[in-house]
Amino acid sequence: MSTRDAVFLPNRHALYDKHGYSPAVRSGELLFVSGQVGSRDDGSAEPEFAKQVQLAFDNLKAVLAAAGATFDNIVDVTTFHTDPENQLETIMSVKETVFDKKPYPTWTAVGVTWLAGFDFEIKVIARLPSKD
């Protein structure tokens, strides 16, 4: 019997099986979402950076929805960038459409040298809505 309450999408993403991880895991009222990238259904990277960022947010939205949550439930965001200085404007333009009102979640941006063929990744923690 598994001790993890994993959340999976109806159409499981190829990367989850390939690399052996869950899209998200519930723990009490918290949802820990694995880093989401701008991958297509087959797991390949979207080559255009702006579309890759949008697709990462779309993939994140789908994982949140599978757990009964939305972007409004996110309390903490960590993003990973292969070229932060040149990518930030594009990332912010997408981020501002998703987190468009205060109070905003916390956000930590980390520059990295490698993301397995991707240029952007977003990982979040969300508080699940109460079932009342």
Side-chain angles (χ1 to χ4, degrees):
M1 179 164 114
S2 176
T3 59
R4 294 182 189 94
D5 183 9
V7 174
F8 288 98
L9 299 142
N11 54 344
R12 285 188 64 183
H13 195 287
L15 288 178
Y16 302 131
D17 288 331
K18 181 178 179 182
H19 298 289
Y21 67 98
S22 298
V25 173
R26 289 182 199 92
S27 180
E29 58 188 29
L30 295 178
L31 181 70
F32 297 85
V33 181
S34 293
Q36 298 297 303
V37 293
S39 58
R40 300 171 176 158
D41 288 340
D42 67 357
S44 66
E46 167 57 51
E48 185 182 329
F49 183 69
K51 288 182 181 178
Q52 188 180 127
V53 172
Q54 183 61 58
L55 192 51
F57 275 91
D58 292 346
N59 290 337
L60 174 58
K61 182 178 181 179
V63 173
L64 290 167
T70 69
F71 287 117
D72 289 336
N73 299 110
I74 294 174
V75 295
D76 183 62
V77 177
T78 304
T79 53
F80 303 91
H81 316 258
T82 57
D83 187 2
E85 188 174 354
N86 292 312
Q87 296 169 338
L88 195 59
E89 185 177 331
T90 301
I91 294 162
M92 291 302 290
S93 67
V94 177
K95 180 182 171 282
E96 289 168 356
T97 65
V98 173
F99 303 112
D100 59 350
K101 60 185 176 291
K102 295 179 182 179
Y104 305 115
T106 62
W107 180 33
T108 302
V110 181
V112 299
T113 59
W114 184 79
L115 287 172
F118 296 91
D119 293 305
F120 174 78
E121 184 170 336
I122 182 168
K123 174 182 180 18
V124 304
I125 299 170
R127 181 172 302 282
L128 293 167
S130 65
K131 298 184 191 246
D132 300 341

